[in-house]
Amino acid sequence: MAQVIRSIQKALETIELLAQAENGLSLSDLAARTGYPISTVHRLLASMFEHGYVEQDPQTKRYYLGLKILALQAQGIRRRHFGRFAFPHLNRLRQHVNETINLGVLSGQDVVYLETFVPNSSMSFYAPPGTRMPSYCTAMGKVLLAHLPPETQDALLSSLELKPFTPHTITSLPALRTELAEIAQRGYAVDNEEYAAGVRCISAPVRDHDSTVVAGVSVTVLAEQLPTERIKPTAALLTQACLDISQALGYQGDS
């Protein structure tokens, strides 16, 4: 029994280290930080990978928290105080715009959906909680990147491979930096069919009591239903909903 407990402790230490590492950790990094032999850490990671608790980037070989952890996190958030503050505003926003509303956070290089509110319309884009998408070509990902501390943002952007998903995907790092600066100034981000052809998104940040951006909310719309002239009015409703949530969390700005 003592051996089982030690194994659990080692696994939990590994998970906690990965949770703190925005850019993931390599096998040698984890071994150095835990003080465990590389062979021990490798066995732990292999077991957690098999069950979905960690993921490995096939190119960098760095490890990240897996979708299983993020799905559990999503369930926890739905049941705890953040949900109590956020969900009435998100549901009201869905009723106003009659489009899909997503709540998500940044995890490593990706954005992860924690909750999705779907409209009554049958023509909508749906990604279930736990869905992971690239940050650089999604509205929610870009709005979260735009509000990272400068050093953190630089490190993350430098590690990105800007793979094109559609002809509209931003694949130039200078262009992405310019886009993020504009988003930070404007207050919301737009994904103009950059990740999925035929789908447009608008996203705005949610802040906590000390003004830190802790999440993003997005409106996902079929491109044909979101012409250019509809973007600003929709963004206004979205940013107001995010401000309402932020103020419920103790944020005192923009009043």
Side-chain angles (χ1 to χ4, degrees):
M1 180 64 70
Q3 180 63 40
V4 173
I5 292 175
R6 284 198 295 272
S7 297
I8 292 173
Q9 289 175 334
K10 291 175 182 178
L12 291 174
E13 287 178 25
T14 302
I15 288 172
E16 289 173 356
L17 285 170
L18 290 173
Q20 297 166 11
E22 293 185 355
N23 298 315
L25 291 170
S26 67
L27 176 60
S28 58
D29 288 336
L30 285 165
R33 297 191 189 192
T34 60
Y36 302 136
I38 285 182
S39 59
T40 298
V41 177
H42 185 267
R43 286 196 298 271
L44 286 171
L45 291 169
S47 180
M48 289 190 288
F49 179 86
E50 181 179 354
H51 292 280
Y53 288 99
V54 301
E55 295 178 355
Q56 185 181 34
D57 187 305
Q59 295 183 331
T60 66
K61 304 302 181 184
R62 298 175 77 83
Y63 289 90
Y64 298 86
L65 290 183
L67 290 179
K68 180 70 71 64
I69 290 284
L70 298 169
L72 292 174
Q73 178 189 29
Q75 292 173 9
I77 286 180
R78 285 199 294 270
R79 290 180 173 89
R80 298 178 74 88
H81 66 281
F82 186 81
R84 185 173 73 248
F85 291 130
F87 290 179
H89 301 289
L90 298 178
N91 192 46
R92 190 177 306 118
L93 177 62
R94 176 189 58 178
Q95 293 172 350
H96 284 163
V97 300
N98 196 32
E99 302 291 353
T100 302
I101 308 300
N102 307 293
L103 171 69
V105 295
L106 196 63
S107 175
Q109 298 180 343
D110 299 332
V111 63
V112 178
Y113 285 1
L114 301 180
E115 187 59 272
T116 299
F117 293 76
V118 295
N120 295 325
S121 170
S122 59
M123 295 294 292
S124 61
F125 180 83
Y126 174 71
T131 296
R132 194 177 188 109
M133 295 184 181
S135 58
Y136 66 91
C137 57
T138 55
M140 188 185 298
K142 290 192 294 182
V143 86
L144 294 172
L145 288 175
H147 291 89
L148 287 174
E151 290 185 2
T152 304
Q153 186 191 85
D154 286 343
L156 200 156
L157 293 182
S158 298
S159 70
L160 290 175
E161 178 190 2
L162 302 181
K163 172 185 173 182
F165 286 90
T166 76
H168 300 285
T169 305
I170 297 174
T171 56
S172 160
L173 188 54
L176 180 58
R177 291 184 187 277
T178 299
E179 170 86 350
L180 296 181
E182 292 175 354
I183 290 167
Q185 180 69 28
R186 185 171 59 229
Y188 64 89
V190 177
D191 159 13
N192 184 26
E193 301 186 67
E194 296 164 41
Y195 178 64
V199 177
R200 285 181 176 151
C201 298
I202 308 171
S203 184
V206 174
R207 301 177 184 272
D208 66 7
H209 64 282
D210 63 2
S211 300
T212 300
V213 172
V214 294
V217 175
S218 67
V219 179
T220 302
V221 187
L222 296 178
E224 62 187 22
Q225 298 176 6
L226 187 67
T228 302
E229 62 270 18
R230 192 185 165 200
I231 290 177
K232 283 189 176 181
T234 303
L237 292 170
L238 170 63
T239 53
Q240 183 60 54
C242 288
L243 176 59
D244 291 341
I245 297 169
S246 299
Q247 291 177 340
L249 293 173
Y251 175 62
Q252 298 183 6
D254 298 339
S255 57

